[in-house]
Amino acid sequence: MTFSNQLLYLNDLGVDNVEFTQVELRYIRMRRLLSVIYIIVFAVFGAIAAWLSSVWFEPMQGEVTFISACLVSLSLLLAIYRFFADPKKQYALREHDLSYQYGLFYRTTITQPIVRIQHVEVKQGPIERRLALASILAFSAGGQMHTFYIPGINVDDAHRMRSYILNHEVDVKDAS
Amino acid sequence: MQVSSGSFASGDWQRISAIAVIYFLAKTLRHLFGQIVFLIPVFIFINKNIKENPVLTVAIIVSIGLLLGLYAVASFLVYRYRLSSDTLEIRSGIFKKTQTHLPFSRIQNIRLEQPIYYRLFNFCCMELDTAGSIQNEAKLIAIHMNQAVALKDIILSTRKSSSGGESNGERQKNESLDETIDEHILCTRSVSDLIIHGVTNNRVWLFLGAAAPFFDTIIQYLGISLSYIGLDLQKLFDVDSQGYAVVVIAALSLTMFIMMILAVFSIAGSILTYYDYRLSRNEDRYIRRSGLLTKHEVALPLRRLQMITYKQDWLDVVLGRVNLIYLQADASVGQATAANTNKLVVPSVFPEQAQSLAEDAMKAAQLSQALYSPIHKRYILNKFLVFVIPTAVLAALIIGLNNDSWLIGTAALIAISLLGSAIAYLRWRRWGYSMDDRYVYIRRGLFGIQHSCFERHKLQQISRKQSWFMRRYHLYSVKFVLASGGIKLPFINREEIKLIADQSLYIAESSGKSWM
């Protein structure tokens, strides 16, 4: 490891200078649609609960209405946050590491060296399966709290990334 | 007495020694006592019935005792193990049957534990960890010490030969939890050291853990002794009859009294856990042996060492003592493990000892001698704006409105802001970092001080975080993730992060060295 080598690496390949790819637009739209559905569900259930309490249980009507209103406004806040925060989610795959950046007020960038990945999972929920989306999960010895996670990637890209990571592991083992 | 591998690697399912019944009984009892908090209301509820029907009560207690005994015997009867030349299998469980299959080559860590009731016949309990999840742990519940030591050697040598290392020579075994010949002792702790450790560090929880079965008796005894010296708490704290001065003095002395009791408990906890403390090194393994009632043996293979922390609470700073903590890779990171098996603590040593111990484990590590650079001053401003001001305003509003006086409110605002700023400043003064080609050092604390050190190539992951405020000044908070957990370093500027984070990442990715 020579000094010039390090400088070259730092100038060209520092995490700041990486070009990130935004998560799929389909993923952002899916989450926006889901947020709207949450608001509607909470609003409908809240209204039903408030109406029921007014019919059957007068003394609690104020509390029930208050809790319903809280839930609706919380889901509204969450929807607004997601609307602006989701487009900030982006990732980068370099030769030797994966990075994922997220957050609106607090921007976090996590970098996971591929040599330290112990196993990889490609995960799809029912809606994601419809939209050909997937999340990639990379587990390291850092423990469950530090599982590396990128949501909202094309399912084909996710599988390609997975096999790239797995093959990378073999390369390193051969080299050592 | 030497036991050859052939004598117990017969390939048949075997029973453990009958002494294990005591172990199972103790385990169930400990579990029951752990739940006793939830049973207290039941006892209060049926208290009257107990007094009215003494015969029935005795009958119920006896039958519960019999049931527990039967359960212990049944647990013992269904517990079987089988040893072949390279695997250990364990079958256990009455209602929920489990079968564990453990190839020797996958065993990462071996721990021997000797509860007090095993000591007479020199039995012990052997715990085997794998690198996998916590469910993969296996426990050989009662095995004779000679067998345990022999089995341990077989497992270790299997692992060595499978990884291509040199084979294990013939070793001489002692008949208890003692050092083998090729170990040398690095550090021992006397009872007076442990007393200092108990005073400077809150070890009450250690005591609580060990003394849980005797809680009732202790509390009863405390109540009796309090009334014996004529303390009536209710009367003492009655402001109307006593006046403010007396109540304040009473409160102070009661606090002192409680602190004293806590200190005594803390010392007891320290001695219970660390009595007869010996830290020794055998080739590339550290072994800690200690314990008053239950003797523990914890091993730490050096390649699994992730971080060394040199920790001083404020009392340690005054007395010039240091706790040295070795953190090793642990499969159960993130889960609350009561045993804290990934930690190896050297309690209350002198700074020079700590330094030489740290150097023994991590060659050429500077730790307390390193030149630490401070973090950015905006840390203080940030803490002031984000934590101190909101807390102070909220508290001042509550206090002011309660007393209906804006003067008291303003005084509270100023006092809390000053206190908060002082704490933020002290925190900032403690934060610091340093690095060389191999290690990163991080210093932190408030009144106490903590130096941590880890090898850069053992990094698992790095994350950096910026608030909107920090982004404008190109500042970052970095979190280094190791196999033993994460460590944070706040408010580092862009040039510094290149050196400490990007370069560490480069070292981890390009060195080709394993993290364990």
Side-chain angles (χ1 to χ4, degrees), chain A residues 28-40:
Chain A
I28 298 172
R29 290 201 182 122
M30 172 192 91
R31 298 250 299 176
R32 282 179 188 166
L33 188 68
L34 281 175
S35 308
V36 173
I37 292 173
Y38 287 148
I39 298 172
I40 293 171

Side-chain angles (χ1 to χ4, degrees), chain A residues 6 97 107 109 111 116, chain B residues 457 462 464 466 503 509:
Chain A
Q6 288 174 28
D97 53 38
R107 183 174 298 165
T109 312
T111 308
R116 297 284 176 261
Chain B
H457 75 262
I462 287 188
R464 57 197 75 190
Q466 281 183 301
Q503 205 181 12
E509 288 168 5

Side-chain angles (χ1 to χ4, degrees), chain A residues 1-3 5-6 9-11 13-17 94 96-98 103-118 138 140-148 172 176, chain B residues 330 333-335 386 437 457-471 476 479 481-486 494 497-499 502-503 505-509 511-515:
Chain A
M1 191 201 336
T2 61
F3 187 63
N5 212 354
Q6 288 174 28
Y9 174 86
L10 292 180
N11 288 342
L13 295 167
V15 175
D16 274 345
N17 307 323
R94 294 195 293 176
H96 293 293
D97 53 38
L98 287 157
L104 187 62
F105 302 113
Y106 285 91
R107 183 174 298 165
T108 309
T109 312
I110 303 177
T111 308
Q112 174 69 59
I114 295 175
V115 262
R116 297 284 176 261
I117 294 177
Q118 290 190 324
S140 66
Q144 291 166 336
M145 300 258 297
H146 302 107
T147 301
F148 184 83
V172 168
S176 64
Chain B
D330 186 27
V333 172
Q335 299 168 5
V386 177
D437 287 346
H457 75 262
K458 291 195 173 180
L459 271 177
Q460 296 288 336
Q461 191 183 76
I462 287 188
S463 74
R464 57 197 75 190
K465 198 170 176 180
Q466 281 183 301
S467 68
W468 182 77
F469 172 79
M470 291 160 78
R471 227 174 300 160
Y476 296 85
K479 185 176 182 189
V481 178
L482 293 150
S484 59
R494 197 159 41 176
I497 205 164
K498 277 186 182 162
L499 288 171
D502 288 341
Q503 205 181 12
L505 210 56
Y506 166 68
I507 291 169
E509 288 168 5
S511 69
K513 285 195 225 163
S514 161
W515 57 274

Side-chain angles (χ1 to χ4, degrees), chain B residues 273-462:
Chain B
T273 322
Y274 295 127
Y275 181 77
D276 195 19
Y277 186 99
R278 279 164 299 156
L279 180 74
S280 51
R281 181 174 179 158
N282 175 3
E283 287 166 29
D284 52 357
R285 273 185 327 132
Y286 276 23
I287 301 150
R288 185 203 97 184
R289 294 183 179 83
S290 68
L292 186 63
L293 299 180
T294 299
K295 282 188 182 177
H296 288 277
E297 179 183 309
V298 181
L300 168 102
L302 268 182
R303 62 194 171 82
R304 280 170 60 96
L305 178 66
Q306 301 292 317
M307 184 152 55
I308 295 184
T309 299
Y310 183 100
K311 189 179 171 192
Q312 288 184 293
D313 284 340
W314 67 273
L315 255 176
D316 287 316
V317 178
V318 173
L319 294 175
R321 297 287 181 129
V322 173
N323 291 315
L324 195 69
I325 302 164
Y326 300 94
L327 282 174
Q328 65 170 318
D330 186 27
S332 56
V333 172
Q335 299 168 5
T337 45
N340 253 330
T341 49
N342 68 331
K343 246 186 191 178
L344 200 151
V345 180
V346 189
S348 295
V349 285
F350 291 106
E352 316 86 66
Q353 278 179 299
Q355 182 65 32
S356 68
L357 279 175
E359 269 171 26
D360 188 69
M362 286 193 182
K363 294 277 168 301
Q366 302 288 318
L367 217 57
S368 58
Q369 268 92 341
L371 282 173
Y372 287 89
S373 324
I375 58 168
H376 202 279
K377 282 203 177 89
R378 277 190 189 277
Y379 175 84
I380 307 172
L381 186 66
N382 180 280
K383 286 283 167 281
F384 187 72
L385 292 177
V386 177
F387 291 110
V388 179
I389 288 292
T391 325
V393 168
L394 198 70
L397 273 178
I398 292 172
I399 293 170
L401 289 177
N402 262 352
N403 290 303
D404 209 12
S405 144
W406 62 269
L407 205 71
I408 295 178
T410 322
L413 182 75
I414 292 170
I416 294 170
S417 312
L418 282 178
L419 188 72
S421 323
I423 289 176
Y425 174 74
L426 286 176
R427 286 280 288 169
W428 172 78
R429 279 218 14 200
R430 287 290 194 226
W431 278 111
Y433 70 92
S434 178
M435 69 195 120
D436 51 38
D437 287 346
R438 236 178 117 177
Y439 303 104
V440 168
Y441 311 94
I442 293 176
R443 185 187 65 195
R444 61 193 191 282
L446 176 62
F447 300 114
I449 192 163
Q450 219 171 317
H451 302 262
S452 296
C453 163
F454 61 87
E455 278 186 275
R456 301 173 89 170
H457 75 262
K458 291 195 173 180
L459 271 177
Q460 296 288 336
Q461 191 183 76
I462 287 188

